[in-house]
Amino acid sequence: MRRLFGMPDEEKLVNYYSCSYWKGRVPRQGWLYLSVNHLCFYSFLLGKEVTLVVPWTEVTQLEKNATLLFPESVRVSTRDTEHFFSMFLNINDTFKLMEQLANIAMRQLLDNEAFAADRSLPKSCKTLKNVSVLKRDLDARAKNERYRAMFRLTQDERLDGHTDCTLWTPFAKMHVVGQLFISNNYICFNSREEDLCQLIIPLREVSIVEKADSSSVLPCPVSISTKNKMTFLFANLKDRDFLVQRISDFLQRTPDSLWGDTSPLSLIGQSASSSVPSSSSAGSECIHKGRHYHPGLPTASQGLLQLYHQDAPEDLGPKAMKEKMKEEAWNIHFSEFGRGVCMYRTSRTRELVLNGIPECLRGELWLLFSGAQNEMASHPGYYGDLVEQAMGLCSLATEEIERDLHRSMPEHRAFQNEMGIAALRRVLTAYAHRNPGIGYCQAMNIVTSVLLLYCTEEEAFWLLVALCERMLPDYYNTRVVGALVDQGVFEELTRAFLPLLYEHMQELGVISTISLSWFLTLFLSVMPFDSAVLLVDCFFYEGIKVTFQVALAVLHDNMDALLSCSDEGEAMTILGRYLDNVVNKQTVAPPIPHLHALLTSGDEPPPEIDVFDLIKSSYEKFGSLRSDVIEQMRFRQRLKVIQSLEDTAKRSVVRAMMTESAFSIEELEDLYCLFKSKHMTSCYWGSSSSAAERHDPSLPYLEQYRIDPVQFTQLFSALAPWTCGGHTSMLSARLFRLLDQNQDGLVNFKEFITGISGMYHGDMTEKLKLLYKLHLPPALCPEEAESALEAAHFFTEDEPRESSFLSDLDTLQQQEVTPGEDEKEEGDSEEKREVKDYRYYLRMWAKEKEPKKESIKDLPRMNQEQFIELCKTLYNMFSEEPMEQQLYHSIATVASLLLRIGEVGKKFNNGSKKAETAAQAPPSSLQRGEGPGEGLSDESQMCRALADAQLEPAAAQTPDDEIKDDTSVSSYSVVSSGSLQCEDIADDTVLIGGSEQRRGSVLDVDWSITFEQVLASLLTEPPLVDYFEKKRDIQSKMAACKAQRAVERQTSSTSDHELTQHST
């Protein structure tokens, strides 16, 4: 790949496949290369070379289809074009790998996290031909993701292997065929027939693993016993000895107490109680008093609902008896199928869930079905320590949490007092501290308040972790990407199941409006609480498919009314009133008024809908939905949603920059794409700072993406109108330092456009002002000084000029603002100062914050060393211009004129010291080692410098040139009378003689010029005026950049035929 496509060493090839690429109607047989960050194709056939490079981050759609024109093909769509590939030997494997790589790219766009290879991947038992380590890595990741999703396990769980087997089910008295999965912390079983039986056995619960006696009825059995006296019998195992050995190995790594005596939060912070003996009850009580969360809190041992119902009289009504019957049904289930994490999960379990979980068991079963029980058991004490670290910290998330605390189920009495509010605050703040990438998002407060009703604080926290990080991925991040993805999936499902309604709803634009609130809060915000909590029961058992089923059932029940709607508001009213009247007639708790229902009820209330009937209807009509199909749809929608968000960000940036630059909309869009592509390369090709440090989603879009000096130089060299040859990198570094106002070593898009726009669209004065600033601090750094002696003089005698350009402006602005105020304040008494109106200070603060327009008089003066650098830059800028000689003559004239102006200014500024300076001039000249050439005129010495540069001088040389010392002078040197010595352009320039004089030379610190003098001098030369007033076109440079990125090119050269070798 490095030879064929010019990729750097950091770009890793995953796999390559033989296929055909369709250009028009002609297939090009070649090789498809899939790397971590790019899709590439290469073909060389009949003297025609075809090369294609598509970054995965630019892919908007990936589809596998079969048509008459493209049989069994894969379509790869970008914003600009479509590519078709066909004739694969195994199209399914290829497409799966492409999907996986595109998913990784979307994750880069979303989180700015680069792909990291799995270093702990075990070595393959057998060498697989043509399979790279990365391919094995990605295959293992895909299997791990399916395994974790199937059994609701944590993100760090890694599948070690799986095998076919049978499981003896005592409740059915039969052997169930399925697969056994082994990972580092779990043994899991899933039946081949869906919903027949599923089993999860944490290794921390295992007490004995042994090989049972084989028989013809029960070949190769393995018995696994747990601490709660349950025994599981697996048989028909192909390699029983190896399996038992692997389980034994994992058991040895699993201590009895998974975290021992250490705090599970040791990576985040030391546990507050770790240094105190647990045996001291008095000591622990003292600690509890000082902690925000401790076991003594009511919410640490009970859910809020239980706390408020514990004193209520026993209800013996029919609803209460129905609830008792549900509890008894679950108790029978527990006795037959087991209780806790090792329970057999069968179709009977699903039936009980659909009939409603009793209130007293709801928290326990939510923890079990979501997988939160396992995570909580393996992290004892984590939540308490996290609360201690998080409480008291102030951030944007904590401010939003405080704002929303009293909006969380205000109709429920559990959240009408401080106990419920404080518990909600602790849970939300602890999670925001655990996962700052999400922090806090609206809707999390509603879901968490419901969890707290049925669970303790710690249990609610781990359920929130399971929701945000596994069951509803990316739902609650800053851009609610997960909810938008599922919104797209819902639209796709509506088109498949309810095509007529879909067309009408799309015209009204309703689906995108309703579905977001439904999915983000799991119907809790749009449905009466007692009804919505039953949907939460089903959600924790079945996952997101229940939410889609119920949403489709709601649309189906209202189809006729929705088809007759003429606008969006009418459709929203119909659906809102329908959901308000979904009731749970079996609830025992007193009815909780639903605020939305109170606001939308009309004169004639619509008929009530039983929530159990709605759930049953959703399973009957849309129960064919499969989780794997939903995941496929999610992948397709994720590409669309993330690329759509990127387009929205681009449009926002362009709109913001339209008023601050003169670039057109198309130019700004292209510049943004180039800038962002440079930023993205830091994600996967490395740089001086990580991509995560460069990307802050909380910032405005203009400031989110940032680039470092190396990437800035690449863009500057490609786009800047001032081409300076070898001097370009130096000029780029100076512009970078000028734009990097916060000095963090990074430049954002707004700063980048500010610098480039000045070069292209500023008038002559603006362009020259920018060029002038590039040769003053902070743009001109001390390291660019020609000698240590000159640098020393520059930083000691000329210190004010060494301060940053922005601070100079601030000083000037303060001088303009403060004198009058100082005089006024001197006349006031101390008492008046103390009682000054606060509005006065506000006005002063606002005045200081007002951006002051910079005038040319605000610019600092330029000394000799800086003037030398400016002349070097100007000589380099003209080296490729058509009027090169005229420009050189003009700049020689201007430089000579400015040298004389500086000398005149020096004499004028010296004033009273003029006579003394004149008397001491001859000896000082000799001490400075100026030699016999000191009497030369400025113009003569400039001509000498130009002659040494092999350029035609602006004026005839004087005969005195022959008596000057033979110090080598660079082609870009400028020499001034008496004090300005020859300056070398490069560090390796050889001085032929005169070295002693060179070491003794110093710059004339009294010599200086102003920007006004530079501007006035340049205006006297028409070639220079024409050069700086010439309009430059950035389109051609951007087109060259796009071509350089090699999106697609085709040549007819046969010289590269040998490149068809498939080496990387």
Side-chain angles (χ1 to χ4, degrees):
M1 282 190 68
R2 289 181 278 280
R3 293 174 56 197
L4 291 177
F5 308 106
M7 298 289 178
D9 293 343
E10 291 82 2
E11 184 69 2
K12 303 299 182 184
L13 177 67
V14 179
N15 212 348
Y16 60 94
Y17 303 91
S18 173
C19 69
S20 293
Y21 169 54
W22 293 77
K23 276 189 69 70
R25 295 181 176 234
V26 180
R28 304 277 183 177
Q29 185 65 32
W31 292 86
L32 180 70
Y33 296 84
L34 302 181
S35 70
V36 173
N37 305 296
H38 295 85
L39 176 150
C40 306
F41 177 83
Y42 183 80
S43 172
F44 191 91
L45 198 63
L46 300 176
K48 293 284 185 180
E49 183 186 42
V50 176
T51 305
L52 176 74
V53 178
V54 179
W56 289 115
T57 51
E58 294 183 6
V59 174
T60 58
Q61 197 170 358
L62 198 61
E63 284 186 320
K64 181 178 65 174
N65 49 26
T67 62
L68 291 175
L69 184 60
F70 302 115
E72 280 289 304
S73 63
V74 174
R75 182 177 69 175
V76 180
S77 303
T78 64
R79 290 179 179 83
D80 306 318
T81 185
E82 293 182 341
H83 308 285
F84 289 88
F85 302 92
S86 64
M87 305 291 288
F88 290 97
L89 292 176
N90 192 334
I91 191 170
N92 291 326
D93 287 350
T94 308
F95 187 71
K96 283 180 182 177
L97 180 58
M98 294 170 79
E99 277 187 328
Q100 201 173 0
L101 292 170
N103 243 334
I104 292 172
M106 294 306 104
R107 181 56 57 186
Q108 284 182 0
L109 288 174
L110 192 60
D111 297 336
N112 265 261
E113 292 181 358
F115 172 83
D118 188 354
R119 303 293 181 187
S120 61
L121 192 68
K123 292 185 178 180
S124 178
C125 299
K126 54 183 179 180
T127 304
L128 300 176
K129 188 178 180 182
N130 296 332
V131 176
S132 66
V133 175
L134 274 178
K135 178 68 168 63
R136 286 182 56 229
D137 186 348
L138 291 172
D139 289 344
R141 286 175 189 234
K143 289 179 181 178
N144 287 334
E145 288 172 7
R146 287 194 296 270
Y147 170 64
R148 290 193 294 259
M150 186 185 300
F151 299 104
R152 306 271 174 82
L153 302 178
T154 57
Q155 295 297 321
D156 57 351
E157 199 63 27
R158 296 184 180 184
L159 179 65
D160 187 69
H162 59 90
T163 183
D164 294 332
C165 71
T166 59
L167 170 66
W168 172 251
T169 52
F171 54 87
K173 300 296 188 291
M174 60 181 289
H175 293 278
V176 176
V177 178
Q179 281 193 319
L180 183 69
F181 300 83
I182 308 293
S183 62
N184 45 335
N185 292 302
Y186 297 91
I187 300 171
C188 302
F189 174 84
N190 195 42
S191 61
R192 186 177 298 171
E193 184 180 341
E194 191 176 6
D195 292 329
L196 187 59
C197 182
Q198 191 181 75
L199 188 64
I200 301 173
I201 309 172
L203 291 180
R204 66 176 184 274
E205 297 290 329
V206 174
S207 57
I208 300 173
V209 178
E210 57 184 352
K211 293 181 279 188
D213 296 333
S214 291
S215 66
S216 58
V217 180
L218 203 65
C220 300
V222 170
S223 173
I224 299 177
S225 301
T226 63
K227 295 175 182 176
N228 60 354
K229 309 303 182 188
M230 292 183 70
T231 301
F232 305 96
L233 189 63
F234 299 93
N236 291 283
L237 294 162
K238 293 181 180 177
D239 197 344
R240 182 176 62 166
D241 296 338
F242 178 75
L243 177 69
V244 171
Q245 183 60 46
R246 290 301 294 165
I247 296 175
S248 300
D249 292 343
F250 283 126
L251 282 172
Q252 288 176 0
R253 302 174 200 168
T254 307
D256 293 336
S257 176
L258 200 62
W259 291 92
D261 297 328
T262 60
S263 167
L265 207 62
S266 56
L267 293 178
I268 298 178
Q270 193 65 28
S271 172
S273 60
S274 60
S275 59
V276 180
S278 59
S279 59
S280 174
S281 59
S284 62
E285 286 177 7
C286 293
I287 291 174
H288 290 168
K289 288 180 182 179
R291 290 173 68 92
H292 294 88
Y293 174 81
H294 56 82
L297 289 172
T299 52
S301 55
Q302 290 179 302
L304 289 172
L305 214 56
Q306 191 177 356
L307 287 171
Y308 282 96
H309 287 174
Q310 61 187 3
D311 298 330
E314 186 178 359
D315 188 358
L316 300 176
K319 291 184 178 179
M321 297 308 295
K322 182 80 172 177
E323 187 78 1
K324 290 285 185 185
M325 291 174 63
K326 285 184 183 179
E327 291 179 28
E328 188 60 30
W330 274 100
N331 287 329
I332 293 171
H333 183 276
F334 291 147
S335 63
E336 190 174 351
F337 297 88
R339 187 167 187 168
V341 290
C342 299
M343 179 179 72
Y344 291 97
R345 306 175 194 203
T346 66
S347 54
R348 174 63 181 156
T349 314
R350 176 197 269 184
E351 291 174 14
L352 289 175
V353 171
L354 295 184
N355 289 330
I357 298 175
E359 284 189 357
C360 62
L361 296 174
R362 188 161 272 148
E364 175 189 342
L365 293 174
W366 282 0
L367 283 166
L368 178 65
F369 297 143
S370 66
Q373 178 69 51
N374 291 318
E375 205 162 3
M376 186 173 73
S378 57
H379 294 77
Y382 177 91
Y383 172 69
D385 290 346
L386 196 62
V387 169
E388 295 310 308
Q389 293 188 20
M391 295 301 290
L393 298 178
C394 187
S395 65
L396 180 62
T398 56
E399 291 176 9
E400 292 176 344
I401 288 169
E402 290 297 326
R403 187 181 62 221
D404 287 348
L405 282 176
H406 295 279
R407 304 177 189 173
S408 309
M409 295 189 70
E411 67 274 14
H412 200 290
R413 62 176 187 156
F415 296 99
Q416 293 170 358
N417 59 73
E418 184 55 31
M419 182 171 66
I421 294 295
L424 183 60
R425 178 187 292 114
R426 286 191 291 269
V427 173
L428 291 174
T429 305
Y431 185 77
H433 188 66
R434 166 190 166 91
N435 192 344
I438 291 178
Y440 170 76
C441 172
Q442 282 188 337
M444 287 174 68
N445 60 322
I446 297 173
V447 175
T448 308
S449 59
V450 174
L451 300 179
L452 282 167
L453 289 176
Y454 299 99
C455 306
T456 66
E457 268 189 55
E458 187 174 10
E459 291 170 346
F461 170 78
W462 287 112
L463 278 170
L464 185 63
V465 170
L467 275 174
C468 296
E469 297 176 13
R470 295 196 298 276
M471 301 189 74
L472 297 175
D474 299 323
Y475 256 60
Y476 300 108
N477 59 20
T478 52
R479 297 190 281 183
V480 293
V481 172
L484 294 174
V485 168
D486 281 350
Q487 177 181 292
V489 172
F490 181 55
E491 291 185 12
E492 199 172 337
L493 290 171
T494 307
R495 183 172 57 208
F497 287 98
L498 308 168
L500 288 176
L501 183 60
Y502 171 78
E503 296 295 335
H504 187 64
M505 297 281 276
Q506 283 295 98
E507 293 175 7
L508 300 179
V510 175
I511 294 181
S512 59
T513 307
I514 59 175
S515 56
L516 202 59
S517 61
W518 293 4
F519 296 150
L520 274 172
T521 62
L522 302 174
F523 289 96
L524 288 165
S525 63
V526 295
M527 197 180 283
F529 169 75
D530 294 321
S531 303
V533 77
L534 290 173
L535 299 182
V536 178
D537 292 343
C538 300
F539 169 78
F540 276 121
Y541 186 78
E542 294 274 27
I544 193 64
K545 64 172 281 189
V546 174
T547 311
F548 288 126
Q549 287 177 191
V550 173
L552 288 169
V554 170
L555 293 184
H556 184 270
D557 288 354
N558 293 276
M559 185 184 294
D560 295 336
L562 291 171
L563 287 173
S564 62
C565 289
S566 57
D567 59 47
E568 179 186 1
E570 187 180 354
M572 294 288 292
T573 303
I574 290 171
L575 291 171
R577 296 190 69 185
Y578 175 88
L579 291 169
D580 289 338
N581 289 275
V582 176
V583 297
N584 178 7
K585 297 177 180 179
Q586 298 180 12
T587 182
V588 183
I592 300 170
H594 190 234
L595 296 181
H596 189 257
L598 295 175
L599 294 172
T600 58
S601 59
D603 298 332
E604 297 182 4
E608 292 181 342
I609 301 96
D610 193 326
V611 65
F612 291 101
D613 293 338
L614 177 62
I615 293 173
K616 183 180 179 181
S617 170
S618 73
Y619 272 90
E620 288 174 351
K621 295 172 182 173
F622 309 105
S624 59
L625 277 179
R626 293 174 54 88
S627 298
D628 55 346
V629 175
I630 291 174
E631 286 303 316
Q632 282 288 325
M633 291 182 175
R634 276 180 162 178
F635 165 73
R636 289 197 294 270
Q637 294 299 327
R638 192 176 293 114
L639 289 178
K640 292 180 183 178
V641 166
I642 293 180
Q643 297 292 13
S644 175
L645 290 173
E646 293 297 313
D647 291 340
T648 302
K650 181 170 69 173
R651 286 193 294 270
S652 300
V653 168
V654 169
R655 279 198 303 269
M657 291 304 300
M658 282 296 294
T659 57
E660 299 189 25
S661 73
F663 287 118
S664 66
I665 294 177
E666 294 77 12
E667 289 172 344
L668 282 173
E669 288 181 346
D670 290 342
L671 285 169
Y672 179 80
C673 291
L674 289 171
F675 187 90
K676 184 182 163 189
S677 69
K678 283 295 176 188
H679 168 87
M680 292 307 300
T681 57
S682 66
C683 289
Y684 44 79
W685 286 345
S687 188
S688 57
S689 60
S690 70
E693 294 173 357
R694 300 152 177 263
H695 185 256
D696 186 355
S698 64
L699 294 174
Y701 287 126
L702 277 171
E703 303 172 19
Q704 283 190 8
Y705 295 116
R706 296 178 288 178
I707 58 176
D708 62 15
V710 176
Q711 295 169 322
F712 182 84
T713 299
Q714 293 169 356
L715 283 178
F716 181 88
S717 303
L719 298 174
W722 298 343
T723 55
C724 301
H727 202 63
T728 303
S729 59
M730 188 179 295
L731 193 65
S732 168
R734 291 175 186 168
L735 180 59
F736 184 90
R737 287 191 289 270
L738 185 68
L739 297 176
D740 183 19
Q741 297 185 11
N742 58 357
Q743 297 182 351
D744 62 350
L746 298 170
V747 164
N748 61 41
F749 182 69
K750 182 179 180 180
E751 295 166 337
F752 172 75
I753 288 298
T754 302
I756 295 293
S757 181
M759 297 181 183
Y760 275 98
H761 299 293
D763 57 19
M764 181 177 177
T765 303
E766 290 297 321
K767 291 177 181 177
L768 289 175
K769 190 193 295 184
L770 176 61
L771 195 61
Y772 186 85
K773 289 180 188 177
L774 292 178
H775 297 84
L776 295 173
L780 189 71
C781 67
E783 287 76 11
E784 291 175 353
E786 291 291 338
S787 69
L789 180 60
E790 292 165 351
H793 275 276
F794 175 67
F795 287 108
T796 54
E797 298 182 25
D798 205 18
E799 196 163 53
R801 295 190 187 97
E802 183 258 342
S803 60
S804 73
F805 178 59
L806 294 172
S807 61
D808 286 343
L809 286 184
D810 290 342
T811 305
L812 289 169
Q813 290 166 6
Q814 290 170 8
Q815 289 173 356
E816 292 174 7
V817 174
T818 56
E821 295 161 3
D822 291 342
E823 292 173 8
K824 182 179 178 182
E825 288 180 359
E826 284 174 7
D828 292 339
S829 64
E830 289 295 330
E831 290 79 5
K832 286 185 179 179
R833 290 184 186 178
E834 292 177 2
V835 296
K836 258 182 184 173
D837 188 357
Y838 71 91
R839 287 174 294 184
Y840 168 79
Y841 294 105
L842 287 175
R843 284 196 300 271
M844 288 296 300
W845 179 78
K847 199 169 185 180
E848 289 176 3
K849 292 295 180 184
E850 283 180 5
K852 300 208 168 30
K853 189 164 183 179
E854 182 185 76
S855 69
I856 59 177
K857 293 183 178 180
D858 294 328
L859 295 173
R861 299 176 72 87
M862 178 177 280
N863 65 19
Q864 280 188 356
E865 181 186 25
Q866 295 158 358
F867 178 64
I868 293 168
E869 295 295 332
L870 175 62
C871 291
K872 289 181 184 180
T873 301
L874 287 171
Y875 274 116
N876 279 280
M877 285 172 63
F878 307 144
S879 60
E880 298 178 9
E881 288 296 316
M883 299 179 62
E884 182 178 346
Q885 290 301 319
Q886 292 89 328
L887 288 167
Y888 279 138
H889 291 174
S890 297
I891 197 58
T893 303
V894 168
S896 177
L897 178 60
L898 288 170
L899 287 168
R900 291 198 296 271
I901 290 173
E903 288 298 320
V904 171
K906 181 181 70 172
K907 294 175 183 177
F908 178 76
N909 290 333
N910 283 344
S912 60
K913 295 183 181 181
K914 184 176 180 182
E916 181 183 352
T917 304
Q920 297 176 354
S924 65
S925 297
L926 292 174
Q927 288 173 3
R928 288 201 300 258
E930 291 173 2
E934 66 179 81
L936 294 178
S937 68
D938 296 327
E939 190 171 354
S940 301
Q941 297 184 33
M942 171 59 69
C943 294
R944 174 62 182 271
L946 294 177
D948 287 340
Q950 297 182 352
L951 298 172
E952 185 180 344
Q957 298 181 4
T958 61
D960 293 335
D961 287 337
E962 298 174 1
I963 63 172
K964 188 178 178 184
D965 63 73
D966 59 349
T967 302
S968 173
V969 182
S970 164
S971 61
Y972 307 101
S973 298
V974 180
V975 183
S976 119
S977 173
S979 61
L980 183 57
Q981 299 301 311
C982 300
E983 296 295 329
D984 305 320
I985 185 172
D987 295 334
D988 57 353
T989 304
V990 179
L991 297 179
I992 309 172
S995 58
E996 295 179 2
Q997 296 175 349
R998 175 68 177 165
R999 282 195 295 271
S1001 67
V1002 295
L1003 286 173
D1004 191 340
V1005 295
D1006 294 327
W1007 188 99
S1008 65
I1009 54 174
T1010 65
F1011 174 74
E1012 294 163 292
Q1013 293 167 342
V1014 174
L1015 177 61
S1017 302
L1018 285 168
L1019 287 173
T1020 61
E1021 292 295 324
L1024 290 174
V1025 174
D1026 294 341
Y1027 176 84
F1028 283 106
E1029 287 187 343
K1030 181 181 178 182
K1031 296 295 181 184
R1032 308 281 176 169
D1033 181 23
I1034 198 173
Q1035 291 287 355
S1036 58
K1037 290 183 176 290
M1038 286 193 295
C1041 282
K1042 291 178 182 178
Q1044 187 178 3
R1045 291 171 66 195
V1047 175
E1048 182 178 2
R1049 70 179 187 271
Q1050 181 175 353
T1051 63
S1052 56
S1053 170
T1054 59
S1055 60
D1056 295 332
H1057 183 70
E1058 66 276 3
L1059 295 181
T1060 52
Q1061 297 175 357
H1062 312 298
S1063 62
T1064 58

